[in-house]
Amino acid sequence: MIGYVCKYTPVEIIEAFGEKPVRLDPGYKSYEHAEALIHSNMCSFAKGVLENIIENNIEEVVLTACCDSIKRLYDVLKDKVKFIHLLDLPRKKGPLAIDLFYNEIIEFIEAYQAFKNKNFAEENLLKILESKSFNKDKQSTESIAILGARLKDDVIEKITNSCTAKVINFTCTGEQRVFNIEAKDNLLKSYAESLLNFTPCMRMAEDRSKLINKEFKGIIYNTIKFCDFYSYEYAELKSKADLPLLKVETDYNDSNSGQILTRIDAFLESTGIKKMEKQKTKKGYFVGVDSGSTSTNVVIIDENKDIISYSIIPTGPKALESAFKAFEIALKNAGLQERDITSIVATGYGRVSIPFADRIVTEITCHGKGAFFVDNAIRTVIDIGGQDSKVIRLDDSGNVIDFVMNDKCSAGTGRFLEVMARTLGISIEEMAKVQREVKENITITSMCTVFAESEVISLIAQNKDQRDIIHALNKSIASKAISLVDRIGRKGKYMMTGGVAKNQGVVYAIESRLGEKLIIPFEPQIIGALGAALISLEGK
Amino acid sequence: MDTVKIYTNIIKDNMNRPEKVNKLINFGLTAAYYYVSFFKDKRIPKSLHYLNKYSIKSIKDSLANPQNSAWVNLFAPSEFLIAMDIKPLFIEAYSSFMSGFFIEDYLIDTAESRGMSNTLCSYHKTFIGASELNILKKPKFMMTTSMICDANIPTFKYLSKKHGVPLYIIDIPYKYSKDSVVYVKKQLLEVAEKLEEVFNRKLDIDKLREVVKTENKIRALMKEYLNYAGEKRFIPTMTFEMYMLFASHVFIGSKEVLHFYEMLVEDIKRAPERSGKSIFFIHLLPIFEKNFKDYFNFSDKFHIAGSDLNYDFVDEIDENDPFKGIAEKLILNSFNGEINRKVARIKELIEKIKPDGIIQFCHLGCKQSMGGTFIIKNLASEVGIPFLYLDGDCVDKRNNQEGQNRTRLEAFLEML
Ligand code: SF4
Ligand code: SF4
Ligand code: SF4
C-alpha cells in the first residue's frame, strides 16, 4: 500500500503499478509519536497523519506540496519511511503549469520504478482511467455543500445518512475522480491536465466563488485549527449571508465528536433537510425527555398541548437510568401508565442512549420549539445549563435559523458557578440570591474556570466582600453569554432557559449588559423537554 | 502614562473613523521619523540610523500615496516596482509598526470577528484588520508570491476581492528545474505587463537591469559584512535585525539600500570586538517580547549575531536576462523547497559567524518555520551549538507567555 493525503495525488498511477493507494484518514486523540518529531502547533491533520504513519509503520508515502504543514511533514518523514515522494503541485492552470506537473508525475514514476524494481505500463493506466470516465448523471435534486478544510469520511457519511438532500463534498476528501481522456497519444500529459482540472481547492490561485450555487439548501463550512487556507472564504461567505451557513471548527481528528454532530444535525433540521421518520399518531399523551449532562427532565403534554406533568432529576452516572427514573416520576405525577403514551422524543446529550424514545431530536431544535411555544415573541434563546451554553436565534415563525454553542470548556456555565460556590464555601442557592448593590465593582479577567478560580482565591485572600466577588462572577458569566449572543447578533425578545436562569444575580447581570429584560419561563429547566414533547405531538 | 500609550488610546477611541485613524498613523510615523532624525542615539551606528529612517520613510511614502503604491509580501519581487518608481507596502512591516503603536490587538480582534481563524499568523491578521476597518487605504495593485508562506495567497485574494484591486499571484514551484524557471519567468513577464497597464507607465528594461545590478552589488557587500559579523559586536537591538529585512528584501535594488550597505560595511569594521555571547536567530526576532528586549537590546553580555532570514538568497542575479534571473532567485530562495536548503544555508552562516547559541522563536501560526524546528535542533547538536526554541508571537503581544519564556530563556543564557 501507498499512503497519500491529497486529492491531486496521481492515485491512478499507483493503481497502474498494481499497488493499493490508501488515503490516510487519521483519528487520533493524542500525538505521542508525532509531537516528538514535529512542533505541536502544526496543523492537527498533519500531526495525525504523522502519528498514523509512525504508529502503523506505513512504509510508502506520496505527498504533494500542498501547504507548509505537509511540506514539513515531508521533511520530517524523509529518513523515516522506506519510500517517500513529494510532487510539486502548481497553483495555476495553463500549458506551462501542466508541463511542470507532467514532469512531476514522470519523476514520481521513475522514482517508484527504481524503488520497486517494477515497470510502469501505460496500458494499465489507460484501462483504469477508462473505467473512471464521466457518466453524466444530471441530478437536479436538492443539495447541501460541504466546503472548507478536509472533513473526515465518517462525518461525511453521517451527514449523508441523516439528510434528505444530496451531499456535495468540495473538501480534499470529496473528489469524484472521473476522467475524460481524449488525447490518448499523450496519455500522461492529459492525465496531468485532468488532475489539475479537479475542483480547485483553496490552495489554488483560481477563484472559487463559482462553486457556490444559489440553489444549495445550505453550506457546512469546515475549518481546521492551524490551517490557514479556509477561514478567508468563510469570512467572505459569512459577509454575504445569502445561504444558510454553518461553521464547524475542528482539529480534524475530533470532527466526529458528539458536539459537532449535534451542531450539524441541528443545522440540517433548521434547513429542513433532516431525514425524519413518518409520524401518524395524533391522539393521547406525548413525552419529551431531555437527557442533559447535569439534569434529566421530562415533560408530558396532552393532545391540546397542555402540560400534564413534569420532572427534573439530576443525571446520574448512567444517562439511561436517570431517564427511566425521570420518566417514571413524570408518569406518576400525571397519574398515567406507560401504555397511555403515544410517542416519546428524546433530546439532550444523552439522547442517543434512550432506547424507549421513538425519535431523537437535538436540544437546539427542542429549546427553540419550547421557548417559542411559551412566548411567541421570543427571537433569542439563551440557554445556560450545567456544562454548556448556547444561544439560539428564531425567526418569526419560531424556526431555528442560527445558533452558537460555547467551546468545549465549562467557562460561563453552571459548572463554573458550582466550582466558584465551592471555592467561596457557600451553597449554590445562597450564591443565587439577588445582588444589586455592590461596594466595589470587581472584574474577573479570566474566562477559564481554572484561572478564574485562582483569581477568586486571591480575592478572598485580599479580604474582598463576598457579595462583590459573587457579583464579579455573575458579570463574568454574563459577558460570556453576551459574547455568544453577539456572535449571532442581538434581537429581542430574549428568553433565558437552563438551570442558571434560576440564578437572579446572573439574570440581572445579563439584563444589564443587554439593556433589556429577559423572559424567564416558570420552570427554565424543562424548556428543552417541553420542545421535545411538542415535536412528539406534532411530528415535525 | 507615556506618550505612546496616550497615542494608542487616541487611535483606539477613533477606530470607527478610519480617516482620522489613517491621519493619526501617518502622524505617528512622521513623529517617529523626526524623533529618530533629531534624537540620535549615540549607541546606534550611522548606517543603522540611516536604515531606521529609511524604513519609516518607505512605509510613510506608500501610505501617503496609495495610488502609486502596491501591497506585497516580504518575498515578492519588488525589483519591478522599484524600477517603475511604485512604492511597495509589505504586510509584515506594516503589521510590525502597528504592534509598535500597540494597536495590533484591536486590529487582530477585528479580523477574527470577520471570520479569520484565530490561529492565523498575526502579521496577516493585523494587516487584514486594518484593511477591514479602512484604516489602510486601498492601493492600486497587489502582488504576492506563493512561496514559503501559506497565508499569502489567501490573504491577497481576500483583500483584492474585497477592495476590487487587481492582484497578481506569482506561483513559485517548490523544486528548481529548467521548466520551473520558464514557468516563473513567464509569470514575471505578465506581472510587468500588468504593472504597465495598471500604473499606465512603461517598464524601462534598462532601469530594471540597473536595479538588478545594484542588487548584485548589495549582495557582494552583504558577504563582506558577514565576514565581520563573527568578530564584531554590532547589532544593538533586535529591531535593527528586523529593519534589515527592508534592505535585504523589499527595497533591495534601490540606491538608498546600496548606500546603506556601503555604510554598514564601514561601520562594522569599526565596531568593537566580539565580547559576551552571541546568538544567532532562526527566522524572526521577537522585537516586542519583554524578556528578549531585556536581554538583547543594548546588552554587552549577549548580542545578536544575525538571522538566516536576511540571507535567504546570496547569489548573483543574471543581469542580462533579469526576468530569468529574478525567477531563479525566487525559486532558489533558501526558505523555498525542501528544508535541506534552509539547513545548508544556516550551516554556512553559523560556520562563518560561529555564534555561541541559536534561538528559534516560533511565531504562532508560522508553520513553515516551526515545522522545521526539530530538524534545526538536530543540526545545532551536530555542530555542537546550544539551541533553544520558544513559542510566542512577534506581533500579538497577548500570545506571549512571558513568565514561562523568561525561565527558559534565562536558563539557556546561563547555560552558555
Ligand atoms: S488543500 Fe488542495 S493541495 Fe492540499 S491536500 Fe487538499 S486538495 Fe490537496
Ligand atoms: S488541513 Fe490545512 S494545514 Fe492541514 S494539511 Fe490540510 S491544507 Fe495543510
Ligand atoms: S511569520 Fe510565517 S506565517 Fe507569518 S507571514 Fe511570515 S512566513 Fe508567513
Side-chain angles (χ1 to χ4, degrees):
Chain A
M1 82 167 257
I2 301 186
Y4 75 97
V5 295
C6 170
K7 70 183 183 193
Y8 294 101
T9 309
V11 167
E12 289 70 24
I13 302 274
I14 301 175
E15 289 169 342
F17 267 113
E19 296 288 328
K20 191 168 168 246
V22 175
R23 183 159 48 73
L24 303 176
D25 188 24
Y28 291 96
K29 298 273 180 293
S30 84
Y31 308 101
E32 209 185 309
H33 300 106
E35 289 187 354
L37 294 170
I38 205 160
H39 194 293
S40 55
N41 283 351
M42 296 297 277
C43 122
S44 33
F45 169 72
K47 281 195 300 184
V49 171
L50 180 55
E51 188 75 22
N52 189 352
I53 291 173
I54 303 289
E55 177 143 333
N56 300 317
N57 253 322
I58 297 175
E59 292 181 338
E60 300 175 15
V61 181
V62 180
L63 300 172
T64 58
C66 157
C67 62
D68 295 335
S69 303
I70 298 291
K71 288 179 199 160
R72 292 299 175 237
L73 176 68
Y74 168 78
D75 292 324
V76 165
L77 277 174
K78 216 171 159 198
D79 50 0
K80 304 225 161 28
V81 290
K82 288 201 175 131
F83 177 83
I84 182 154
H85 193 91
L86 182 132
L87 288 103
D88 195 2
L89 180 61
R91 289 174 172 81
K92 293 187 169 179
K93 292 181 178 176
L96 291 179
I98 295 171
D99 280 349
L100 266 188
F101 197 48
Y102 164 70
N103 289 343
E104 286 294 307
I105 291 179
I106 303 238
E107 207 183 276
F108 166 61
I109 292 176
E110 284 168 358
Y112 199 66
Q113 282 190 149
F115 171 72
K116 276 268 150 150
N117 214 354
K118 218 180 200 183
N119 271 332
F120 173 77
E122 254 189 49
E123 317 82 84
N124 294 351
L125 179 64
L126 183 60
K127 254 185 253 148
I128 291 162
L129 294 177
E130 277 169 352
S131 71
K132 298 186 184 181
S133 63
F134 274 116
N135 52 342
K136 285 203 183 82
D137 57 334
K138 255 216 202 139
Q139 283 174 316
S140 52
T141 49
E142 291 187 325
S143 53
I144 174 160
I146 301 178
L147 277 153
R150 60 171 64 228
L151 194 55
K152 270 180 88 65
D153 295 342
D154 50 357
V155 183
I156 301 278
E157 200 185 308
K158 278 183 188 143
I159 298 175
T160 314
N161 290 340
S162 57
C163 90
T164 53
K166 185 173 160 213
V167 176
I168 309 179
N169 176 6
F170 285 116
T171 78
C172 310
T173 57
E175 193 65 33
Q176 292 287 317
R177 299 200 84 85
V178 286
F179 299 90
N180 191 7
I181 306 283
E182 271 155 16
K184 294 197 174 112
D185 47 330
N186 200 344
L187 187 64
L188 281 174
K189 203 168 224 174
S190 0
Y191 176 58
E193 183 176 359
S194 14
L195 287 180
L196 286 183
N197 276 330
F198 277 177
T199 318
C201 64
M202 252 318 277
R203 173 198 179 273
M204 298 301 181
E206 205 174 331
D207 182 31
R208 304 216 310 165
S209 44
K210 61 170 196 261
L211 299 182
I212 314 292
N213 181 342
K214 290 267 166 299
E215 306 294 307
F216 287 148
K217 296 296 285 181
I219 297 174
I220 298 179
Y221 206 95
N222 186 37
T223 62
I224 294 183
K225 282 192 199 104
F226 290 108
C227 177
D228 298 340
F229 293 150
Y230 294 96
S231 51
Y232 302 85
E233 195 175 53
Y234 169 73
E236 223 177 288
L237 284 171
K238 188 180 138 197
S239 70
K240 285 195 210 119
D242 45 5
L243 283 172
L245 181 64
L246 172 76
K247 180 186 183 193
V248 285
E249 211 173 335
T250 71
D251 82 352
Y252 189 77
N253 306 305
D254 68 356
S255 54
N256 52 4
S257 71
Q259 232 234 8
I260 291 185
L261 294 177
T262 303
R263 298 189 51 213
I264 291 178
D265 261 359
F267 181 69
L268 298 176
E269 282 163 8
S270 71
T271 45
I273 52 174
K274 173 95 194 185
K275 236 182 227 162
M276 297 284 179
E277 299 86 39
K278 290 258 169 336
Q279 290 294 312
K280 317 159 215 93
T281 46
K282 285 278 173 272
K283 279 212 167 353
Y285 295 97
F286 304 86
V287 176
V289 182
D290 180 359
S291 167
S293 49
T294 20
S295 74
T296 303
N297 320 311
V298 170
V299 170
I300 303 181
I301 58 171
D302 65 12
E303 58 209 50
N304 303 318
K305 300 186 183 174
D306 288 326
I307 297 180
I308 305 299
S309 79
Y310 66 85
S311 64
I312 302 171
I313 63 163
T315 305
K318 294 204 177 106
L320 176 57
E321 267 171 30
S322 307
F324 265 127
K325 206 162 128 206
F327 182 36
E328 267 169 25
I329 298 173
L331 278 175
K332 208 166 136 221
N333 290 348
L336 293 172
Q337 303 283 315
E338 209 182 322
R339 59 171 185 277
D340 302 325
I341 303 302
T342 311
S343 89
I344 302 176
V345 166
T347 186
Y349 268 143
R351 65 186 183 280
V352 282
S353 47
I354 298 175
F356 58 87
D358 300 293
R359 264 180 65 196
I360 52 179
V361 179
T362 64
E363 57 269 34
I364 291 162
T365 306
C366 290
H367 269 95
K369 187 96 196 163
F372 195 76
F373 176 75
V374 175
D375 182 343
N376 65 12
I378 301 298
R379 295 296 172 268
T380 307
V381 185
I382 303 172
D383 176 66
I384 307 187
Q387 299 200 357
D388 73 347
S389 52
K390 46 188 166 293
V391 172
I392 302 165
R393 165 62 34 80
L394 303 175
D395 68 8
D396 296 346
S397 338
N399 300 312
V400 175
I401 47 170
D402 201 355
F403 60 90
V404 284
M405 290 171 86
N406 79 338
D407 316 306
K408 283 169 254 179
C409 70
S410 58
T413 68
R415 174 98 191 101
F416 176 86
L417 287 174
E418 258 170 48
V419 172
M420 299 309 155
R422 214 179 47 219
T423 312
L424 289 167
I426 56 172
S427 74
I428 193 91
E429 290 73 29
E430 242 174 291
M431 193 167 166
K433 288 197 190 124
V434 196
Q435 306 293 336
R436 292 241 220 185
E437 289 125 50
V438 279
K439 274 199 265 165
E440 188 186 347
N441 196 358
I442 308 174
T443 301
I444 304 235
T445 48
S446 299
M447 282 284 182
C448 166
T449 312
V450 182
F451 291 126
E453 190 179 1
S454 48
E455 268 186 60
V456 168
I457 292 173
S458 77
L459 289 171
I460 297 173
Q462 292 164 34
N463 255 329
K464 298 281 181 193
D465 191 307
Q466 196 179 64
R467 274 164 305 182
D468 292 347
I469 303 180
I470 296 175
H471 177 76
L473 289 166
N474 293 343
K475 276 199 309 182
S476 155
I477 299 256
S479 87
K480 186 89 190 174
I482 295 298
S483 77
L484 282 183
V485 172
D486 285 342
R487 269 160 66 188
I488 56 174
R490 296 192 182 190
K491 190 164 188 189
K493 284 177 167 180
Y494 297 87
M495 175 179 281
M496 182 166 167
T497 62
V500 177
K502 293 179 181 171
N503 182 319
Q504 287 285 323
V506 174
V507 170
Y508 281 131
I510 297 181
E511 285 177 341
S512 77
R513 287 287 303 270
L514 275 179
E516 200 172 316
K517 272 260 173 251
L518 292 173
I519 307 290
I520 310 291
F522 65 99
E523 177 41 85
Q525 271 178 289
I526 63 163
I527 299 303
L530 172 63
L534 289 164
I535 293 172
S536 153
L537 165 70
E538 292 170 1
K540 54 172 189 176
Chain B
M1 221 193 252
D2 60 34
T3 346
V4 179
K5 270 217 181 105
I6 296 173
Y7 171 69
T8 303
N9 287 340
I10 299 178
I11 296 189
K12 282 187 178 167
D13 288 343
N14 281 290
M15 281 297 182
N16 52 353
R17 294 150 75 190
E19 270 304 315
K20 180 137 191 226
V21 176
N22 187 290
K23 286 211 180 91
L24 281 166
I25 287 175
N26 256 320
F27 167 79
L29 289 166
T30 310
Y33 184 79
Y34 284 110
Y35 185 85
V36 282
S37 306
F38 290 121
F39 300 96
K40 280 195 186 145
D41 190 325
K42 293 275 174 318
R43 296 168 295 181
I44 296 168
K46 223 170 79 215
S47 54
L48 295 179
H49 186 259
Y50 178 83
L51 174 67
N52 190 351
K53 274 171 61 182
Y54 178 67
S55 305
I56 299 175
K57 185 170 175 298
S58 73
I59 293 213
K60 258 168 55 82
D61 282 354
S62 80
L63 291 181
N65 191 356
Q67 281 309 296
N68 188 36
S69 117
W71 288 352
V72 299
N73 69 315
L74 182 66
F75 303 102
S78 323
E79 287 87 350
F80 302 102
L81 305 179
I82 295 175
M84 292 174 80
D85 198 28
I86 297 162
K87 306 290 179 200
L89 178 68
F90 66 110
I91 289 193
E92 294 87 342
Y94 181 83
S95 297
S96 292
F97 271 90
M98 294 310 110
S99 186
F101 292 159
F102 291 88
I103 56 171
E104 86 282 6
D105 50 353
Y106 195 95
L107 303 178
I108 288 169
D109 291 347
T110 303
E112 287 178 5
S113 76
R114 306 287 160 99
M116 288 304 139
S117 134
N118 57 1
T119 55
L120 177 68
C121 163
S122 49
Y123 286 102
H124 284 255
K125 276 189 295 195
T126 304
F127 197 83
I128 291 170
S131 134
E132 293 280 355
L133 292 168
N134 291 322
I135 303 174
L136 253 174
K137 288 200 190 127
K138 65 178 190 186
K140 196 105 191 218
F141 191 66
M142 301 182 192
M143 167 171 84
T144 185
T145 59
S146 67
M147 66 210 258
I148 301 167
C149 169
D150 280 347
N152 286 323
I153 291 191
T155 293
F156 279 96
K157 257 165 92 176
Y158 180 79
L159 294 174
S160 139
K161 223 168 162 187
K162 177 139 208 142
H163 297 299
V165 172
L167 159 70
Y168 196 94
I169 295 173
I170 310 168
D171 184 20
I172 309 294
Y174 179 81
K175 300 178 189 169
Y176 177 84
S177 69
K178 230 172 70 214
D179 281 337
S180 63
V181 175
V182 174
Y183 178 59
V184 177
K185 180 177 167 182
K186 162 116 191 299
Q187 297 179 70
L188 294 179
L189 289 163
E190 282 171 10
V191 172
E193 237 171 66
K194 204 71 214 195
L195 283 167
E196 291 184 331
E197 182 194 313
V198 171
F199 289 92
N200 196 16
R201 64 184 87 142
K202 277 260 159 269
L203 167 68
D204 178 348
I205 185 79
D206 289 327
K207 258 205 174 141
L208 182 65
R209 279 205 185 94
E210 202 43 53
V211 170
V212 168
K213 241 184 215 152
T214 312
E215 186 168 345
N216 285 338
K217 275 190 212 154
I218 289 171
R219 288 225 166 74
L221 290 166
M222 264 185 195
K223 282 190 185 150
E224 209 181 329
Y225 168 80
L226 276 176
N227 287 337
Y228 295 94
E231 298 162 14
K232 304 282 187 171
R233 181 154 59 81
F234 185 64
I235 301 290
T237 74
M238 291 183 292
T239 312
F240 285 105
E241 190 65 34
M242 290 286 95
Y243 271 143
M244 292 255 243
L245 294 174
F246 281 78
S248 62
H249 288 76
V250 179
F251 295 94
I252 193 168
S254 72
K255 288 277 167 267
E256 291 87 346
V257 169
L258 177 63
H259 181 52
F260 158 67
Y261 272 100
E262 285 162 353
M263 289 197 283
L264 184 75
V265 171
E266 287 316 305
D267 277 347
I268 196 168
K269 284 182 189 163
R270 284 196 299 267
E273 292 304 307
R274 172 168 168 174
S275 65
K277 301 291 178 191
S278 89
I279 304 291
F280 186 78
F281 284 85
I282 304 298
H283 193 210
L284 299 168
L285 287 81
I287 56 177
F288 301 112
E289 213 268 5
K290 181 154 184 317
N291 301 316
F292 279 82
K293 279 184 4 196
D294 290 351
Y295 273 99
F296 289 102
N297 289 354
F298 301 114
S299 150
D300 24 273
K301 278 208 207 120
F302 303 103
H303 66 258
I304 299 150
S307 145
D308 65 328
L309 186 55
N310 272 315
Y311 307 97
D312 54 355
F313 183 77
V314 292
D315 299 316
E316 268 200 12
I317 298 177
D318 184 349
E319 288 168 12
N320 297 322
D321 186 350
F323 287 94
K324 176 166 160 267
I326 295 170
E328 286 172 336
K329 161 186 149 172
L330 294 170
I331 306 171
L332 287 171
N333 187 298
S334 67
F335 277 56
N336 185 36
E338 284 188 28
I339 196 140
N340 291 351
R341 271 200 207 166
K342 189 164 153 175
V343 168
R345 177 60 40 80
I346 294 174
K347 209 167 164 183
E348 277 165 41
L349 289 167
I350 55 183
E351 267 162 16
K352 209 165 207 148
I353 298 176
K354 300 198 175 48
D356 298 299
I358 303 174
I359 294 183
Q360 181 174 11
F361 187 79
C362 296
H363 173 72
L364 193 76
C366 183
K367 283 153 299 186
Q368 62 86 6
S369 176
M370 71 174 93
T373 304
F374 295 177
I375 296 174
I376 291 165
K377 190 176 175 191
N378 287 345
L379 166 76
S381 74
E382 237 169 68
V383 295
I385 300 178
F387 174 85
L388 171 76
Y389 78 90
L390 285 176
D391 294 334
D393 200 306
C394 294
V395 178
D396 190 346
K397 301 174 203 89
R398 296 169 297 183
N399 287 336
N400 288 326
Q401 306 283 330
E402 269 155 20
Q404 260 183 39
N405 277 357
R406 178 153 212 115
T407 318
R408 299 181 55 197
L409 180 64
E410 271 175 12
F412 178 76
L413 295 175
E414 277 164 15
M415 195 175 85
L416 294 180

